[in-house]
């Protein structure tokens, strides 16, 4: 009951927020629901699913409660405990599992396709889940190695003046990948796997000219690849390998702004064994403010794009309109005598 209700019965507030017409009261181990019959039945179903989710070993949070409520609202026959209860990886007491329906679709797409593009805003777990699937594949001996790569693009800061070798300057770009590795695996084992080449963390430029067989390859921050780099990377795919490409097309740091990730969604759309999974602010699993920040910027960008479109349409209309000069400004033609 303590895990079901959350700290200071916090999850009760989440349930009442999802079902405003239902009042939830708890006394001891007894939960009393008051409200319209249909809404009460929906809350009963939600609590049963949350109990089933707890039995799988999952830890409940506000995200799981609200996601389960939304899933049941969309389809009362769905089973949030099954969708959110699938464990990808367990390491040092940490269990990695999808926390939203979008994340579950993302994980399933990785299981079913050779190349998967995870596109969405920050905080949606794109890279983290891809890393977990990579470690899982290595542990199951489905692949012989893991290759993690990122384009070394500066996000508004110039780091070339920093002291050190090329490796020292590139490492800060790859640090998020190292952090995830140390979190998902034994910290003492990671350096050995890196030294042996079983795990490789390298900038995208190092991929040119290679054929990557029996490997799980993750390309992170793919919005900062050029169209040429994206084509180069995708054509590295070898036998027995799998690729996951993650990125946020709203955060392009390229000077020219031409993103290979934005282009590839059009070029490769509809090809078998390639899946595009688009995550949204509803899949954000960071602080609740992150989802609202993402929504605010999305709305701002939509408004800016609409104004730009209106301006282009007006300019285009003006250029196509026949030129009508002022009759008084016209010079009369002289008659030949």
């Amino acid at each position: 009951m303590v895990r079901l209700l959350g700290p200071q019965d916090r999850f009760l507030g989440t349930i009442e927020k999802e079902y405003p017409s239902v009042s939830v009261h708890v006394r001891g181990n007894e939960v009393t629901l008051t409200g319209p019959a249909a809404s009460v039945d929906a809350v009963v179903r939600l609590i049963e699913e949350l109990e089933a989710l707890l039995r799988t070993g999952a830890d409940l949070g506000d995200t799981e409660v609200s996601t389960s409520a939304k899933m049941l609202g969309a389809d009362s026959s769905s089973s949030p405990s099954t969708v959110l209860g699938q464990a990808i990886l367990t390491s040092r007491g940490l269990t990695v599992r999808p926390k939203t329906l979008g994340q579950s679709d993302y994980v399933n797409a990785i299981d079913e396709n050779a190349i998967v593009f995870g596109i969405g805003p920050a905080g949606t777990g794109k890279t983290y889940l891809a890393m977990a699937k990579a470690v899982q594949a290595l542990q199951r001996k489905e692949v012989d190695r893991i290759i993690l790569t990122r384009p070394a693009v500066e996000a508004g800061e110039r780091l070339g003046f920093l002291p050190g070798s090329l490796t020292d300057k590139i490492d800060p770009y790859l640090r998020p990948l190292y952090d995830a590795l140390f979190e998902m695996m034994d910290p003492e084992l990671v350096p050995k796997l890196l030294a042996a080449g079983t795990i490789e963390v390298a900038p995208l430029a190092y991929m040119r000219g290679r054929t990557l067989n029996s490997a799980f390859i993750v390309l992170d921050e793919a919005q900062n690849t050029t169209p040429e780099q994206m084509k180069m990377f995708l054509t590295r795919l070898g036998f027995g390998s799998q690729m996951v490409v993650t990125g946020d097309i709203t955060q392009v740091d390229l000077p020219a702004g031409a993103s290979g990730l934005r282009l590839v969604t059009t070029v490769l759309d509809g090809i078998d064994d390639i899946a595009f999974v688009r995550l949204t602010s509803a899949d954000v699993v960071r602080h609740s403010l992150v989802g609202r920040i993402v929504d605010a910027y999305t709305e701002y960008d939509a408004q800016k794009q609409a104004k730009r479109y209106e301006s282009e349409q007006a300019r285009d209309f003006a250029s196509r309109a026949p030129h009508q000069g002022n009759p008084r400004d016209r010079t009369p033609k002289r008659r030949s005598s």
Side-chain angles (χ1 to χ4, degrees):
M1 180 62 75
V2 173
R3 295 175 63 199
L4 177 64
L5 300 180
Q8 290 83 46
D9 296 347
R10 188 179 67 202
F11 299 154
L12 290 185
T14 305
I15 294 174
E16 289 181 330
K17 183 179 179 181
E18 295 292 336
Y19 299 92
S21 60
V22 177
S23 298
V24 185
H25 303 280
V26 178
R27 178 172 294 178
N29 286 337
E30 186 175 288
V31 179
T32 303
L33 307 175
T34 305
S39 299
V40 168
D41 290 342
V43 176
V44 169
R45 179 91 171 85
L46 172 61
I47 292 176
E48 290 173 348
E49 283 295 318
L50 294 178
E51 286 179 331
L53 187 58
L54 285 172
R55 293 191 192 99
T56 66
D59 291 324
L60 286 185
D62 290 323
T63 301
E64 286 79 6
V65 176
S66 59
T67 298
S68 297
K70 288 181 173 62
M71 289 175 62
L72 291 171
D75 181 5
S76 59
S77 62
S78 63
S79 177
S81 60
T82 301
V83 174
L84 305 180
Q86 52 178 322
I88 301 171
L89 183 70
T90 300
S91 174
R92 299 186 296 149
L94 169 70
T95 300
V96 181
R97 65 179 81 235
K99 293 181 177 294
T100 68
L101 185 57
Q103 288 187 355
S104 179
D105 292 340
Y106 178 46
V107 171
N108 291 336
I110 294 175
D111 289 334
E112 297 167 3
N113 298 274
I115 300 178
V116 174
F117 292 85
I119 303 172
T124 51
K126 306 180 299 294
T127 304
Y128 196 76
L129 291 173
M131 294 281 288
K133 292 297 293 182
V135 173
Q136 182 193 57
L138 183 66
Q139 291 179 345
R140 292 179 175 178
K141 301 188 183 303
E142 296 171 357
V143 296
D144 295 333
R145 55 183 173 154
I146 296 173
I147 297 176
L148 310 172
T149 183
R150 268 183 151 198
V153 176
E154 298 161 337
E157 299 176 80
R158 299 295 178 185
L159 303 181
F161 66 88
L162 293 176
S165 64
L166 176 62
T167 302
D168 294 330
K169 297 185 184 208
I170 288 174
D171 269 354
Y173 295 106
L174 307 175
R175 179 50 51 189
L177 302 178
Y178 285 112
D179 291 343
L181 271 180
F182 280 100
E183 188 172 336
M184 295 178 185
M185 304 184 74
D186 185 347
E188 296 180 357
L189 180 62
V190 173
K192 297 177 182 178
L193 294 176
L194 288 168
T198 305
I199 297 178
E200 179 183 349
V201 183
L204 179 60
Y206 288 16
M207 298 296 110
R208 185 173 292 279
R210 303 174 63 183
T211 300
L212 306 174
N213 294 316
S214 190
F216 197 111
I217 311 126
V218 178
L219 170 59
D220 190 31
E221 296 291 333
Q223 75 274 8
N224 289 328
T225 61
T226 64
E228 294 77 15
Q229 286 177 321
M230 179 62 76
K231 178 183 176 182
M232 178 274 293
F233 171 77
L234 294 175
T235 53
R236 301 307 95 198
L237 183 68
F239 295 106
S241 291
Q242 185 166 15
M243 284 182 170
V244 179
V245 180
T246 69
D248 177 5
I249 56 177
T250 67
Q251 295 192 33
V252 178
D253 299 314
L254 292 171
S259 170
L261 181 61
R262 185 177 287 122
L263 176 65
V264 81
T265 58
T266 302
V267 175
L268 300 184
D269 188 32
I271 296 180
D272 290 340
D273 222 13
I274 296 179
F276 290 89
V277 180
R278 290 172 173 81
L279 303 171
T280 67
S281 60
D283 300 302
V284 172
V285 292
R286 292 181 184 169
H287 194 286
S288 58
L289 271 177
V290 175
R292 283 179 276 178
I293 290 171
V294 169
D295 285 338
Y297 271 99
T298 301
E299 182 179 353
Y300 170 77
D301 290 339
Q303 292 174 352
K304 187 168 65 172
Q305 187 173 359
K307 289 181 180 178
R308 187 185 300 119
Y309 177 76
E310 291 176 359
S311 176
E312 291 174 353
Q313 289 291 99
R315 193 162 51 246
D316 184 54
F317 177 79
S319 65
R320 287 180 303 174
H323 181 69
Q324 299 289 343
N326 190 332
R328 288 178 295 181
D329 295 336
R330 295 177 182 172
T331 303
K333 293 182 180 180
R334 296 182 178 179
R335 296 181 179 179
S336 57
S337 56

